[in-house]
Amino acid sequence: MAQGETARNTQPLVSVVVVNYRGADDTIACLRALAELGYPRLEIVCVDNASPGDDADRIQAAVPAARVVDSDRNLGFAGGCNLGARHATGTVLAFLNNDARPHARWVDAAVDALRADPTVAAVASKVLDLDGERADFVDGGLTWFGMGYKRHADTPLAELPEAEHDVAKDVLFATGSAMFVRASVFAELGGFDDDFFMFYEDVDLGWRLNLRGWRVRYVPTSIAYHRHHGTMSAVDSPDSGRGTFLLERNALCALYKNLSDETLASVLPAALALTVRRATARGELDPTQLDLASGVGPPETSPVPVSRGALAGMLAVDAFVERLPSLQRSRAEEQAKRVRTDADLLPLLRKALEPAYPLPRYLAAHDILTEVFGIEKTFGTRRTICVVTGDTLTKRMAGPAIRAWNIAAVLAAEHDVRLVSVNPVVDPPPAPFTVTAASRRDLAHHIAWADIVVLQGHVLELAPSLKREYAHKIVVCDVYDPMHLELLEQGKDAADDRREADLAGVTRVLDAQLERGDFFLCASERQRHFWLGHLTALGRLSPQLYDADPTTRSLLAVVPFGLSPEPPRRTGPGLRSTLGLSAGDRVVLWAGGVYSWFDPLTLVRAFGTLKESRPDARLVFLGMKHPNPEVGEMDIAARTRRLADDLELTGKHVFFNEQWVPYDERQNWLLDADCGVTTHYEHVETMFAFRTRVLDYLWAGLPIVTTDGDAFADLVRDERLGVVVPAEDPQALAEALERCLYDTEFAQACRERMVSVAERFTWPHVLRPLVEFCRDPRPAADRLPGADHLAPAPRPGRVELVRRDLDLVRSYLADGGPTELARRAVGRVRKIARQGLRRG
């Protein structure tokens, strides 16, 4: 294939739709300009909107390359564009007014923008007047009462800062006079709203695109030239009131469809009242003429003259009421599928409180209504976030609950947050956010309430609505705990078949999360590499996702376990008074539970050695019984107790605190210790684990002794925060503990270095990626509704198919002879049969 042909086939087919109504001369000039563009794959579709006369024939004769579609009635601009889109075959649709002319690179620049970022659904062209001197569209704005407008329209470019017209930016909508949209997305949203007929159909489409997570991008290098209102002036006059009627009606329709319930409750009454005041002010009607309080005289019954401009506003409200049943259906669909809040879109509205009309009585009403109905506050509604955990939420919290709690606490500073546990044991300490338990049935209610759902563990399996009716909702999956790797150790005592089934089940749970999520949190760079491989194996690292963000950090971010930004302060008795240890004892603290993937046995043996030379050394296990009643005691805990008993260390040098220390009291135990320890075996779970207990040691300034092999061992070694020892080496472990407990100079140096390291692990710091995502949440690029390929490979022709099959036959014969050829042929037949069954 020639190089030019290859380039041609890798470019998307662009279908340009031009609507004609009684404007054949303009339309012919527009289509000819399109035909002269150098873009290699261009389809021109012209819809004639039942123009009287011979417009359609003239257009087809003048531009044979165009496909002319005859409409049997005038569908308006919205319906005409939709009709053209149904006849188009391109993966990109372009809409161009018939009184507009494209720049030579109008198409190329837009296609480049669409291909560069798969999250961009539509491109808003830079539209200038026919002389290229004044702005027609360089930015879009929307008033709180639903009227979209072109910012800086009719302003000379020379008077505009370059940032206002010559810099690419996200916008709420593109002007229908010159815009591009992915055909698959246009179809997903049902195209323009036919009922708008004309005016604001482009505003409504852009608004809906943004609500569903797509972006509309203003691309200043995609230029078109437009004679403003050229089309309208050919069929109507400014004084008829018909244009005003459509503008007023459609503004109310767009408002009703697209605002959230909370915002609409305040805005719609004010918008209706303002529409009436706009009409009376436009018609200069005397508002006191029927008011008896203004004076009582002989009754007047003669008709009151009302201008068409005033009448248009009144009739627009009437028409809006008439359309409410159908609008209600449209609204239900938009609200069910939206993933963005009104507050998210507020920056795209630009100046939402702009009154738009310079009429004194109207301006007075605008000020009254915005204040009385609290419009400014209404658009600032906080986002709703539901954080769901499967762990118990009590004063005695373990790792998953602690993490979920702090995620909720940090996000609650900017959003309305609910922390929900699907575990029935919920008796939390006071919190600045809602904390509650939820059954599987109740969970659906919380999910329906939320704009964003943050979940852990097995929660997704308890929320099937996130895979069905709420499949569009934004989901953040916290996969800081590689449960399947953990289970490899935890399940060692189970029967072989049960163990294998459990592992397969947990892996399916994680697969479901990785396939559903829009954003993922892991605990370390090691984990990030691990999960990136898993995402790739599941097909989530698609070209679409990669093109949107080659770093993939917008999909998978490192969010370690964190610690409090406030230093620990004693609030009550600690381990010494609780366990009867003296002030002179040197204490090593194991600050968590005893689980199968840890190695407390080597630690106990090390203490058997250490106590010979250091009789005042003590080892304390912080909590043997997990606060979640669903987590039973593991065999390793019993073995640890037995070993301590056998070595005659229990109650003398090794102490077991049976009950879990309340979360808000743990600092008292930490402050009584001199050193923190964590030991584990050398296996794959260790490689990707994140030992959260080490963070408490950092928080309390305890020199750390840890087994090599995990992410924290690297931190302790690199930052010199303690001693890293080999796995299962009791002698090396005893020596490391002795150094941290008795080498005061070494221990003090470790504490000093911990101060700056601890700051990096505070919850507000580690949660920054999640905080930033929640400020501007969007579906992952491959989960945007209607996403499809822009430039699929062309289907091979018959000759090419035959040639390819002959090449395959030769290859099979060469590889394995007739037997191989027969095997392949049977496989092909079976594949075709399966495809037929699926289609059936």
Coordinates of all heavy atoms in Angstrom, one line a residue, residues 429-474:
P429 N -16.5 6.6 67.0 CA -16.3 7.8 67.8 C -16.9 9.0 67.1 O -17.3 8.8 65.9 CB -14.8 7.9 67.9 CG -14.3 7.1 66.7 CD -15.3 6.0 66.5
P430 N -17.0 10.2 67.7 CA -17.6 11.3 67.0 C -16.8 11.6 65.7 O -15.6 11.5 65.6 CB -17.4 12.4 68.0 CG -17.4 11.8 69.3 CD -16.6 10.5 69.1
A431 N -17.6 12.1 64.7 CA -16.9 12.4 63.4 C -17.6 13.5 62.7 O -18.8 13.8 62.9 CB -17.0 11.1 62.5
P432 N -16.9 14.3 61.9 CA -17.5 15.4 61.2 C -18.2 15.0 59.9 O -18.3 15.8 59.0 CB -16.3 16.3 60.9 CG -15.1 15.4 60.8 CD -15.4 14.2 61.7
F433 N -18.6 13.8 59.8 CA -19.2 13.2 58.6 C -20.2 12.1 59.1 O -20.1 11.6 60.2 CB -18.3 12.7 57.6 CG -17.2 11.8 58.2 CD1 -17.4 10.5 58.4 CD2 -15.9 12.4 58.5 CE1 -16.4 9.7 58.9 CE2 -14.9 11.6 59.0 CZ -15.1 10.2 59.3
T434 N -21.1 11.7 58.3 CA -22.1 10.7 58.6 C -21.4 9.3 58.6 O -20.7 9.0 57.7 CB -23.2 10.7 57.6 OG1 -23.9 12.0 57.7 CG2 -24.3 9.6 58.0
V435 N -21.6 8.6 59.7 CA -21.1 7.2 59.8 C -22.3 6.3 60.0 O -23.1 6.5 61.0 CB -20.0 7.1 60.9 CG1 -19.4 5.7 60.9 CG2 -19.0 8.1 60.8
T436 N -22.4 5.2 59.3 CA -23.5 4.3 59.4 C -23.2 2.9 58.9 O -22.3 2.7 58.1 CB -24.8 4.9 58.6 OG1 -25.9 4.1 58.9 CG2 -24.5 4.9 57.2
A437 N -24.0 2.0 59.4 CA -24.0 0.6 58.9 C -25.0 0.5 57.8 O -26.0 1.2 57.8 CB -24.2 -0.4 60.0
A438 N -24.8 -0.5 56.9 CA -25.8 -0.7 55.9 C -25.9 -2.1 55.5 O -24.8 -2.8 55.3 CB -25.5 0.2 54.6
S439 N -27.1 -2.6 55.4 CA -27.3 -4.0 54.8 C -27.1 -3.9 53.3 O -27.0 -2.8 52.7 CB -28.7 -4.5 55.1 OG -29.6 -3.7 54.5
R440 N -27.1 -5.0 52.7 CA -27.0 -5.0 51.2 C -28.1 -4.2 50.6 O -27.8 -3.4 49.6 CB -27.0 -6.5 50.7 CG -26.9 -6.6 49.2 CD -26.6 -8.0 48.8 NE -26.4 -8.1 47.3 CZ -25.8 -9.2 46.8 NH1 -25.4 -10.1 47.5 NH2 -25.7 -9.2 45.4
R441 N -29.3 -4.3 51.1 CA -30.4 -3.5 50.5 C -30.2 -2.0 50.8 O -30.5 -1.2 49.9 CB -31.7 -4.0 51.1 CG -33.0 -3.3 50.6 CD -34.2 -3.8 51.3 NE -34.5 -5.2 51.0 CZ -35.5 -5.9 51.5 NH1 -36.3 -5.3 52.4 NH2 -35.6 -7.1 51.2
D442 N -29.8 -1.7 52.0 CA -29.6 -0.3 52.4 C -28.5 0.4 51.6 O -28.5 1.6 51.3 CB -29.3 -0.1 53.9 CG -30.4 -0.6 54.7 OD1 -31.6 -0.5 54.3 OD2 -30.2 -0.9 55.9
L443 N -27.5 -0.4 51.2 CA -26.3 0.1 50.5 C -26.8 0.8 49.2 O -26.2 1.8 48.8 CB -25.3 -1.0 50.2 CG -24.0 -0.6 49.7 CD1 -23.3 0.4 50.6 CD2 -23.1 -1.8 49.5
A444 N -27.8 0.2 48.5 CA -28.2 0.8 47.2 C -28.7 2.2 47.4 O -28.5 3.0 46.5 CB -29.3 -0.1 46.7
H445 N -29.3 2.5 48.6 CA -29.8 3.9 48.8 C -28.6 4.8 48.9 O -28.6 5.9 48.4 CB -30.6 3.9 50.1 CG -30.8 5.2 50.7 ND1 -31.7 6.1 50.1 CD2 -30.2 5.9 51.8 CE1 -31.7 7.3 50.8 NE2 -30.8 7.1 51.8
H446 N -27.5 4.4 49.6 CA -26.4 5.3 49.7 C -25.7 5.5 48.4 O -25.2 6.6 48.1 CB -25.4 4.7 50.8 CG -26.0 4.6 52.2 ND1 -26.2 5.7 52.9 CD2 -26.3 3.5 52.9 CE1 -26.7 5.4 54.1 NE2 -26.8 4.0 54.1
I447 N -25.6 4.5 47.6 CA -25.0 4.6 46.3 C -25.8 5.5 45.4 O -25.2 6.3 44.6 CB -24.9 3.2 45.7 CG1 -23.8 2.4 46.4 CG2 -24.6 3.2 44.2 CD1 -23.7 0.9 46.0
A448 N -27.1 5.4 45.5 CA -28.0 6.3 44.7 C -27.7 7.8 45.0 O -27.8 8.7 44.2 CB -29.4 6.0 44.9
W449 N -27.5 8.0 46.3 CA -27.2 9.4 46.8 C -25.9 10.0 46.3 O -25.8 11.2 46.1 CB -27.3 9.3 48.4 CG -26.7 10.6 49.0 CD1 -27.4 11.7 49.3 CD2 -25.4 10.7 49.6 NE1 -26.6 12.6 50.0 CE2 -25.4 12.0 50.1 CE3 -24.3 9.9 49.7 CZ2 -24.2 12.6 50.8 CZ3 -23.1 10.4 50.3 CH2 -23.1 11.7 50.8
A450 N -24.9 9.1 46.2 CA -23.5 9.6 46.0 C -23.2 9.9 44.5 O -23.7 9.3 43.6 CB -22.6 8.5 46.4
D451 N -22.4 11.0 44.3 CA -21.8 11.3 43.0 C -20.6 10.4 42.8 O -20.3 10.0 41.7 CB -21.3 12.7 43.0 CG -22.5 13.7 43.1 OD1 -23.5 13.5 42.5 OD2 -22.3 14.7 43.9
I452 N -19.9 10.0 43.9 CA -18.7 9.2 43.8 C -18.8 8.1 44.9 O -19.2 8.4 46.0 CB -17.4 10.0 44.0 CG1 -17.3 11.2 43.0 CG2 -16.1 9.1 43.9 CD1 -16.1 12.1 43.3
V453 N -18.4 6.9 44.5 CA -18.4 5.8 45.5 C -16.9 5.4 45.6 O -16.3 5.0 44.6 CB -19.2 4.6 45.0 CG1 -19.2 3.5 46.1 CG2 -20.7 5.1 44.9
V454 N -16.4 5.4 46.8 CA -15.1 4.9 47.1 C -15.2 3.6 47.9 O -15.9 3.6 48.9 CB -14.3 5.9 48.0 CG1 -12.8 5.4 48.2 CG2 -14.2 7.3 47.3
L455 N -14.7 2.5 47.4 CA -14.9 1.2 48.0 C -13.6 0.4 48.2 O -12.6 0.6 47.6 CB -15.9 0.4 47.2 CG -15.7 0.2 45.7 CD1 -14.7 -1.0 45.5 CD2 -17.0 -0.1 45.0
Q456 N -13.7 -0.6 49.2 CA -12.6 -1.4 49.5 C -13.1 -2.9 49.5 O -14.3 -3.2 49.5 CB -12.2 -1.2 51.0 CG -11.6 0.2 51.3 CD -11.3 0.2 52.8 OE1 -11.9 -0.4 53.6 NE2 -10.3 1.0 53.1
G457 N -12.1 -3.8 49.5 CA -12.4 -5.2 49.7 C -13.4 -5.8 48.8 O -13.4 -5.7 47.6
H458 N -14.4 -6.5 49.5 CA -15.4 -7.2 48.8 C -16.7 -6.4 48.5 O -17.7 -6.9 48.1 CB -15.8 -8.5 49.6 CG -14.8 -9.5 49.7 ND1 -13.7 -9.3 50.5 CD2 -14.6 -10.7 49.0 CE1 -12.9 -10.4 50.4 NE2 -13.4 -11.2 49.5
V459 N -16.6 -5.1 48.8 CA -17.8 -4.3 48.7 C -18.6 -4.3 47.4 O -19.8 -4.3 47.4 CB -17.5 -2.8 49.1 CG1 -18.6 -1.9 48.9 CG2 -17.1 -2.7 50.6
L460 N -17.8 -4.3 46.3 CA -18.5 -4.3 45.0 C -19.4 -5.4 44.8 O -20.5 -5.3 44.2 CB -17.4 -4.2 43.9 CG -17.9 -4.1 42.5 CD1 -18.7 -2.8 42.3 CD2 -16.8 -4.2 41.4
E461 N -19.1 -6.6 45.4 CA -19.9 -7.7 45.2 C -21.3 -7.6 46.0 O -22.3 -8.2 45.7 CB -19.2 -9.0 45.8 CG -17.9 -9.3 45.0 CD -18.0 -9.3 43.5 OE1 -18.8 -10.1 43.0 OE2 -17.4 -8.5 42.9
L462 N -21.3 -6.7 46.9 CA -22.5 -6.4 47.7 C -23.3 -5.2 47.1 O -24.3 -4.9 47.6 CB -22.2 -6.0 49.1 CG -21.4 -7.1 49.9 CD1 -21.1 -6.6 51.3 CD2 -22.2 -8.4 50.0
A463 N -22.8 -4.7 46.0 CA -23.4 -3.5 45.4 C -23.6 -3.8 43.9 O -23.0 -3.1 43.1 CB -22.6 -2.2 45.6
P464 N -24.4 -4.7 43.5 CA -24.6 -5.0 42.1 C -25.1 -3.9 41.3 O -25.0 -3.9 40.1 CB -25.5 -6.2 42.1 CG -26.2 -6.2 43.4 CD -25.2 -5.6 44.4
S465 N -25.8 -2.9 41.9 CA -26.3 -1.8 41.2 C -25.2 -1.0 40.5 O -25.5 -0.3 39.5 CB -27.1 -0.9 42.2 OG -26.3 -0.3 43.2
L466 N -24.0 -1.1 41.0 CA -22.9 -0.3 40.4 C -22.5 -1.0 39.1 O -21.7 -0.4 38.3 CB -21.7 -0.3 41.3 CG -21.8 0.7 42.5 CD1 -20.6 0.5 43.5 CD2 -21.8 2.1 42.0
K467 N -23.0 -2.2 38.9 CA -22.7 -2.9 37.6 C -23.9 -2.8 36.7 O -23.8 -3.1 35.5 CB -22.3 -4.3 37.8 CG -21.1 -4.5 38.7 CD -20.9 -6.0 39.0 CE -19.8 -6.3 40.0 NZ -19.7 -7.7 40.3
R468 N -25.1 -2.3 37.2 CA -26.3 -2.3 36.4 C -26.8 -0.9 36.3 O -26.3 -0.1 35.5 CB -27.3 -3.3 37.0 CG -26.8 -4.7 37.0 CD -28.0 -5.7 37.2 NE -28.7 -5.5 38.5 CZ -28.4 -6.2 39.6 NH1 -27.6 -7.2 39.5 NH2 -29.0 -6.0 40.7
E469 N -27.8 -0.5 37.1 CA -28.5 0.7 36.9 C -27.6 1.9 37.2 O -27.8 3.0 36.7 CB -29.8 0.8 37.8 CG -29.6 0.7 39.3 CD -29.8 -0.7 39.7 OE1 -29.4 -1.7 39.0 OE2 -30.4 -0.9 40.8
Y470 N -26.5 1.7 38.1 CA -25.6 2.8 38.4 C -24.2 2.5 37.7 O -23.2 2.9 38.3 CB -25.5 3.0 39.9 CG -26.8 3.4 40.5 CD1 -27.3 2.7 41.6 CD2 -27.5 4.5 40.0 CE1 -28.5 3.1 42.1 CE2 -28.7 4.9 40.6 CZ -29.2 4.2 41.6 OH -30.4 4.6 42.2
A471 N -24.2 1.8 36.6 CA -23.0 1.5 36.0 C -22.2 2.7 35.5 O -21.0 2.7 35.2 CB -23.2 0.6 34.8
H472 N -22.9 3.9 35.4 CA -22.3 5.1 34.9 C -21.7 5.9 36.1 O -20.9 6.8 35.9 CB -23.4 6.0 34.3 CG -24.4 6.4 35.3 ND1 -25.4 5.6 35.6 CD2 -24.6 7.6 36.0 CE1 -26.2 6.2 36.5 NE2 -25.8 7.4 36.7
K473 N -22.0 5.5 37.4 CA -21.4 6.3 38.5 C -19.9 6.1 38.6 O -19.4 5.1 38.2 CB -22.1 5.8 39.8 CG -23.5 6.2 40.0 CD -23.8 6.6 41.4 CE -25.3 7.0 41.5 NZ -25.4 8.3 42.1
I474 N -19.3 7.2 39.1 CA -17.9 7.1 39.2 C -17.5 6.3 40.5 O -17.9 6.6 41.6 CB -17.3 8.6 39.3 CG1 -17.5 9.3 37.9 CG2 -15.8 8.6 39.6 CD1 -17.1 10.7 37.9

